């Protein structure tokens, strides 16, 4: 019966005896939401078996190809951050989604899909900043410098 | 007739304009009798996916006092290559490039479907956008860490050639020199002493540029790049060093003793930011982004002292004239806001703290410049983190939504004048034949400057009909308005968006029914609301409510059908029928009812209300309520206590909050765990449906709303209960009789009582 809103119910108390169960079957309310595409292109729940080297080796190779034209200090800075990444990976500090997306990023980089690699770096910064902030800016820079290399690389 | 609703909607989609009246009363006297002023909501940069910009300069009327842009309303003589300006009737020669035009070969700007058109006018080198971070270091460790990470993240979201700078502050203010060399240096200023822009520039070793420049044009003086590079560097060069610098930021080292607040020199920090940008890059798109975790407690612009036992001012304090620092602080920030706006730079305020931070005093910084105002509990919340990410969001075409340095110029045909604008802008004091002597909002001008805007930024513009009574209107005569917005696109290109509209004049004495039918009650409600809220900022609250009520009664007297002194006979036509309800909810809204909120909260709500488009503004005035139940698909329901039923889930969107409320029975079923039983899977779906719909809003809206999930009897249910129309209260409980709905404990009048009073007053012959 109508009355002023009562005090919050004791969570341990069972519902009143008069309460029956909800209706069964698909009556009425179908969920409105359309299927939402997941952010990452691959399921991140499954165990990620990407090895550190499949990611680090191409990155270091890209860095090497930059050393001829890019300022020494910048290269060293990038190199330093790649080492931070390597250490974090080895110590198991990176979550599966981060490792998975890094392997995708490296693939895009190797195929010279600069914008795609950039997008992945951005999505990692946005979604996992606390895991990646120390070294990701080095990867970002590496993409930018590799992209600008004289053609033929 | 194909209803005016379609007409209104099509025009909004094409031109980003909603007028209160779409058939205009042809004399000044009749226009004032309409009660609701002739006004429009304009979204200058409305997203138009189907409108590719043209790559040439607009053709202008040659009369120096006119300079209207060639548009579809102009008469054209294709043979003689002449066009007649529809505003001043000047005959103009087409430029040589238009030699080939004809009836079958029209330039885009003459075609009716291009009543809104965009021109790209700048090519070649452009000044980059600038982002100057001004960061409070008097934060708790966790908070500071979260903020640092958000700032580091944002470096990846900036345009790569943008310039960035960093100022940190606490008791002192530090301007960081950004360099790629090893050692980082900074200039330290005392937080207690205010400095002029010139002093700041001298102390930082800058010199004022000699030549005033147009927004967005490249700098002329060759030494500029060298001078400015110390404090403002391109992201692509400085990102690694700045990431490290941000990572190493420490809490303000000055100890804060028990019972004290940290010494926070926000006023000086902002002064320095404004002065720095003025001295290096005046007149180009720039954001000063202030991140603060508490109120300014020392120096100019301080809002409260450092003793915790003295609380920060409340509305009661302000009413009793007991807010010591308010006037002086407000003046300090207003001076800065005006200076920044004059330089074309916007100021954003990201304020995250459990207590107030001084938004009341600092609001002009965001409001005059078009900067953002974000209010949260802590930087370590998804509300702040996600809202901040959305500052850098891109549109469907992959371009940043943010735009800068807009100059809005409004022209009218001679029967109209411009009374003013309300929105995130400042006046450019452009006098001329179009400018009315009566001021509504920011008046006395036909041009305003909006330093920062995006595709949703919406201004309210108020007009005055100046035609004398009984002056003849030409048969089929139309009035016209042209909105010309010059701005700096995020790509740093200069662009010009031109919208030209026309509406029919009508004689109110003989054709009132046409004027009535073309009334846009939604636009009218928002336009009146903006006026009301604008007045509330300077007048006493009750005066504004009385004014609103008076206007509503007059409107009902004019346009209602009724027999004198017979309230039961009162009717409003369809185009007016929702208007009283909007006003009812507006009167109860946090924009006009301030005592339930802190002064900072009121300032925050009002800030967003003064710039959102019509749809969002209506949500703010009259929140939307959706009901989810087993009785049918989800549906919108009345914002009324009778909509609160035990076997329903409600989703309420107030713009600022998304509230999910479980009815009593639903809550009990959930407690009993039915959603986990496979045979009751549809109950699980029912619980999930509003969550999914809420997510759609939470993931896109700027700023991200507060998410409240509550149920019958929950303490947070008050968010819902305070908004719904209290049709059932403890006062009328037994008169109601039926067992439906949840009564609200309040003495507020319900919509029914309000309407009863309104009808009585409207029909009264007294």
């Amino acid at each position: 019966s109508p009355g002023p809103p009562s005090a919050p119910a004791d969570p341990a108390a069972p519902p009143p005896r008069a309460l029956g169960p909800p209706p069964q079957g698909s009556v009425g309310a179908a969920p409105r939401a359309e299927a939402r595409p997941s952010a990452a292109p691959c399921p991140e729940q499954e165990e990620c078996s990407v090895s550190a080297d499949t990611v680090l080796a191409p990155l270091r190779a890209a860095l090497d190809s930059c050393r001829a034209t890019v300022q020494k200090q910048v290269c060293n800075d990038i190199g330093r951050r790649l080492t931070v990444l390597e250490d974090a990976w080895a110590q198991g500090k990176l979550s599966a989604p981060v490792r998975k997306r890094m392997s995708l990023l490296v693939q895009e980089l190797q195929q010279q899909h600069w914008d795609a690699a950039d997008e992945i770096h951005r999505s990692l910064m946005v979604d996992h900043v606390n895991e990646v902030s120390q070294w990701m800016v080095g990867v970002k820079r590496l993409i930018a410098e590799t992209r600008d290399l004289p053609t033929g690389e | 007739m194909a209803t005016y609703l379609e007409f209104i909607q099509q025009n909004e989609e094409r031109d980003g304009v909603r007028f209160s009246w779409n058939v205009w009363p042809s004399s000044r006297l009749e226009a004032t009798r309409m009660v609701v002023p002739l006004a429009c909501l304009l979204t200058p940069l409305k997203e138009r996916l189907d409108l590719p910009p043209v790559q040439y300069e607009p053709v202008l009327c040659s009369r120096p006092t006119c300079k209207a842009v060639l548009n579809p309303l102009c008469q054209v003589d294709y043979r003689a290559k002449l066009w007649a300006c529809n505003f001043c009737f000047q005959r103009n020669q087409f430029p040589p490039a238009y030699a080939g035009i004809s009836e079958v070969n029209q330039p885009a700007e003459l075609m009716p479907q291009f009543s809104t058109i965009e021109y790209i006018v700048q090519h070649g080198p452009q000044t980059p956008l600038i982002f100057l971070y001004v960061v409070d270091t008097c934060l708790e460790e966790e908070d500071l860490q979260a903020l640092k990470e958000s700032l580091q993240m944002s470096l990846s979201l900036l345009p790569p050639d943008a310039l960035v700078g960093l100022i940190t502050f606490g008791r002192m203010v530090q301007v960081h020199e950004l360099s790629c060399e090893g050692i980082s240096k900074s200039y330290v200023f005392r937080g207690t002493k205010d400095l002029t822009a010139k002093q700041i520039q001298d102390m930082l070793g800058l010199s004022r540029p000699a030549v005033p420049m147009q927004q967005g044009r490249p700098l002329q003086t060759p030494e500029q790049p060298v001078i400015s590079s110390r404090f403002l560097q391109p992201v692509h060069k400085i990102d690694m060093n700045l990431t490290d610098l941000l990572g190493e930021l420490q809490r303000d080292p000055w100890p804060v003793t028990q019972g004290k607040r940290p010494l926070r020199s926000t006023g000086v920090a902002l002064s320095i930011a404004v002065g720095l940008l003025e001295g290096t890059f005046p007149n180009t798109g720039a954001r000063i982004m202030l991140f603060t975790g508490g109120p300014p407690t020392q120096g100019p612009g301080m809002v409260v002292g450092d003793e915790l036992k003295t609380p920060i001012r409340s509305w009661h304090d302000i009413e009793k004239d007991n807010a010591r620092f308010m006037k002086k602080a407000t003046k300090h920030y207003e001076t800065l806001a005006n200076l920044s706006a004059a330089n074309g730079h916007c100021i954003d305020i990201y304020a995250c703290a459990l207590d107030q931070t001084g938004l009341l005093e600092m609001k002009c910084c965001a409001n005059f410049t078009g900067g953002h105002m974000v209010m949260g509990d802590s930087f370590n919340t998804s509300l702040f983190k996600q809202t901040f990410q959305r500052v850098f969001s891109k549109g469907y075409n992959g371009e940043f939504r943010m735009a800068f340095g807009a100059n809005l110029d409004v022209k009218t045909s001679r029967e109209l004048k411009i009374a003013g604008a309300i929105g995130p802008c400042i006046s450019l004091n452009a006098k001329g034949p179009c400018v009315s002597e009566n001021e509504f909002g920011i008046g006395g001008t036909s041009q305003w400057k909006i330093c920062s805007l995006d595709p949703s930024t919406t201004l309210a513009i108020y007009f005055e009909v100046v035609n004398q009574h009984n002056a003849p209107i030409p048969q089929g005569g139309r009035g016209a308005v042209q909105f010309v917005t010059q701005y700096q696109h995020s790509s740093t290109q200069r662009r010009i968006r031109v919208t030209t509209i026309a509406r029919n004049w009508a004689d109110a004495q003989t054709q009132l029914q046409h004027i009535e039918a073309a009334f846009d009650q939604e636009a009218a409600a928002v336009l009146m609301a903006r006026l009301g809220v604008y007045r509330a900022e300077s007048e006493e609250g009750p005066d504004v409510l009385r004014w609103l009520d008076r206007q509503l009664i007059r409107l009902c007297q004019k346009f209602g059908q009724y027999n004198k002194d017979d309230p039961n006979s009162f009717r409003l036509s369809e185009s007016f029928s929702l208007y009283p309800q909007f006003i009812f909810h507006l009167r109860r809204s946090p924009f006009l009812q301030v005592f339930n909120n802190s002064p900072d909260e009121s300032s925050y709500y009002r800030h967003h209300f003064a710039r959102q488009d019509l749809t969002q503004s209506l949500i703010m005035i009259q929140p939307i309520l959706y009901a989810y139940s087993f009785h049918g698909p989800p549906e919108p329901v009345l914002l009324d206590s009778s909509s609160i039923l035990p076997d329903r889930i409600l989703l309420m969107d107030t713009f600022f909050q998304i509230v999910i409320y479980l009815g009593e029975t639903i809550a009990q079923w959930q407690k009993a765990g039915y959603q986990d039983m496979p045979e009751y899977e549809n109950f699980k779906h029912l619980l999930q449906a509003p969550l999914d719909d809420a997510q759609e809003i939470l993931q896109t809206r700027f700023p991200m709303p507060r998410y409240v999930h509550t149920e019958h009897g929950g303490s947070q249910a008050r968010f819902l209960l305070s908004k719904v129309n209290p049709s059932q209260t403890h006062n009328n409980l037994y008169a109601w009789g039926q067992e439906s709905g949840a009564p609200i404990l309040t003495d507020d009048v319900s919509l029914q009582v309000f309407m009863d009073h309104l009808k009585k007053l409207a029909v009264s012959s007294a």
Side-chain angles (χ1 to χ4, degrees), chain B residues 32-33 35 549-558:
Chain B
T32 52
R33 287 183 181 154
V35 183
D549 290 346
R550 234 185 359 261
Q551 303 304 99
L552 178 60
I553 294 164
R554 284 179 59 210
L555 189 75
C556 290
Q557 284 170 333
K558 171 92 181 171

Side-chain angles (χ1 to χ4, degrees), chain B residues 606-622:
Chain B
R606 287 172 172 173
H607 158 92
H608 287 285
F609 188 68
R611 61 176 59 191
Q612 280 296 338
D613 63 28
L614 182 137
T615 308
Q616 304 302 315
S617 300
L618 283 180
I619 294 175
M620 293 186 205
I621 294 174
Q622 186 173 325

Side-chain angles (χ1 to χ4, degrees), chain B residues 650-687:
Chain B
L650 292 174
L651 173 87
M652 180 175 72
D653 181 4
T654 71
F655 182 86
F656 301 101
Q657 295 108 6
I658 302 288
V659 180
I660 293 186
Y661 172 95
L662 305 184
E664 186 170 16
T665 308
I666 305 274
Q668 287 165 345
W669 280 334
Q670 187 185 48
K671 245 188 248 25
Y674 283 105
Q675 63 277 11
D676 299 322
M677 303 180 206
E679 61 272 35
Y680 294 103
E681 196 184 356
N682 60 332
F683 179 63
K684 182 169 158 209
H685 288 146
L686 181 64
L687 289 178

Side-chain angles (χ1 to χ4, degrees), chain B residues 4-37:
Chain B
Y4 269 100
L5 290 177
E6 272 175 46
F7 174 81
I8 287 168
Q9 195 195 359
Q10 280 167 12
N11 277 278
E12 183 180 18
E13 270 170 27
R14 195 181 58 235
D15 298 324
V17 179
R18 293 276 295 250
F19 270 91
S20 49
W21 303 97
N22 289 287
V23 169
W24 295 346
S26 56
S27 80
R28 158 183 283 173
L29 182 59
E30 289 302 329
T32 52
R33 287 183 181 154
M34 298 292 126
V35 183
V36 172

Side-chain angles (χ1 to χ4, degrees), chain A residues 1-16 19-34 36 71 73-78 80-81 118-119 121-123 125-127 129-131 133-142 144-145, chain B residues 149-150 152-158 180-182 235-241 243-244 389 394 626 628-634 651 664-665 668-669 671-672 674 679-680 682-683 685-686 689 692-693 695-696 712-715 721 733 737-745:
Chain A
S1 58
S6 51
D10 174 358
L19 177 74
Q24 285 183 307
S26 58
V27 178
R32 280 214 305 188
E34 307 88 50
R36 232 169 288 279
Q71 233 192 344
Q73 184 168 357
V74 172
C75 292
N76 289 346
D77 205 345
I78 297 175
R80 195 165 45 79
R81 290 169 208 270
D118 218 18
E119 257 318 300
H121 124 254
R122 251 195 296 277
S123 76
M125 274 301 268
V126 165
D127 295 336
V129 62
N130 51 351
E131 273 183 68
S133 62
Q134 283 191 303
W135 47 266
M136 182 57 81
V137 66
V139 175
K140 172 196 181 209
R141 198 57 181 273
L142 186 56
E145 298 294 352
Chain B
E149 284 173 1
S150 284
Q152 288 168 328
M153 174 218 58
S154 71
L155 295 180
S156 285
L157 299 179
L158 296 178
C180 300
E181 313 303 308
V235 169
H236 66 83
K237 261 183 71 185
I238 206 63
D239 50 6
M240 294 202 285
N241 293 74
T243 299
D244 289 341
Q389 282 166 32
K394 297 185 174 176
Y626 285 105
Y628 302 75
S629 72
F630 287 115
H631 304 304
L651 173 87
E664 186 170 16
T665 308
Q668 287 165 345
W669 280 334
K671 245 188 248 25
Y674 283 105
E679 61 272 35
Y680 294 103
N682 60 332
F683 179 63
H685 288 146
L686 181 64
D692 290 341
D693 290 342
Q695 278 308 310
E696 276 189 50
H712 171 81
S715 67
L721 300 176
L733 204 44
Q738 292 305 320
E739 251 184 67
S740 61
I744 313 287
L745 282 174

Side-chain angles (χ1 to χ4, degrees), chain B residues 86-132:
Chain B
N86 64 302
F87 290 102
C88 73
F89 309 113
Q90 171 91 340
R91 293 166 78 80
N92 298 293
Q93 194 82 40
F94 276 107
Y98 286 67
I101 63 169
S102 69
E103 280 89 347
V104 298
N105 186 23
Q106 289 181 312
E109 60 266 37
L110 285 176
M111 299 188 211
Q113 66 267 37
F114 288 105
S115 50
T116 291
I117 186 169
E118 183 147 308
Y119 301 84
I120 297 177
V121 293
Q122 181 190 40
H123 311 277
Q126 298 125 359
T127 10
L129 300 179
I130 303 170
F131 298 83
L132 177 55

Side-chain angles (χ1 to χ4, degrees), chain B residues 201-213:
Chain B
Q201 288 150 18
D202 287 343
M203 289 168 84
L204 291 174
L206 312 166
S207 61
R208 257 191 130 85
V211 184
M213 283 160 288

